[in-house]
């Protein structure tokens, strides 16, 4: 294992997948390294959902006042 911990890129995954496809007559097994590389590259391309939810464009971002967000929150009487 190399010491370089760079994330898998789509270009690198495509290179790996193309090489394996050439060796196996165009077939790629779903549990092969090439398939895992492709999944890793796809996951590395996804935006960080937590960071996306914390932006001002999202109207549901958490309250910074310390009070519960939304009208009437936390005012439900106990049974």
């Amino acid at each position: 294992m190399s010491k370089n911990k760079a994330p898998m890129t789509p270009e690198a995954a495509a290179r790996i997948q193309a090489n394996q496809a050439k060796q196996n007559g165009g077939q790629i097994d779903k549990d092969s390294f090439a398939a895992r590389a492709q999944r890793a590259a796809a996951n590395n391309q996804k935006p960080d959902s937590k960071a996306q939810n914390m932006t001002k464009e999202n109207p549901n971002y958490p309250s910074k006042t310390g009070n519960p967000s939304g009208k009437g929150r936390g005012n439900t009487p106990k049974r």
Side-chain angles (χ1 to χ4, degrees):
M1 185 170 186
S2 69
K3 293 182 181 181
N4 186 3
K5 297 285 184 177
M8 180 65 69
T9 63
E11 294 81 15
R15 208 170 36 248
I16 293 166
Q17 194 170 21
N19 192 357
Q20 188 170 2
K22 285 178 189 176
Q23 292 176 353
N24 295 331
Q27 298 297 314
I28 305 284
D29 291 334
K30 66 178 180 180
D31 58 346
S32 67
F33 176 73
R36 288 194 332 250
Q38 197 71 30
R39 282 191 298 270
N43 285 335
N44 289 337
Q45 295 299 311
K46 289 181 181 177
D48 184 17
S49 62
K50 189 176 255 186
Q52 187 179 16
N53 286 337
M54 297 296 285
T55 61
K56 292 277 184 180
E57 291 116 23
N58 184 349
N60 298 319
Y61 63 91
S63 171
K64 295 188 187 225
T65 63
N67 298 326
S69 297
K71 182 178 176 184
R73 298 289 175 123
N75 297 333
T76 307
K78 302 288 181 192
R79 289 185 182 204

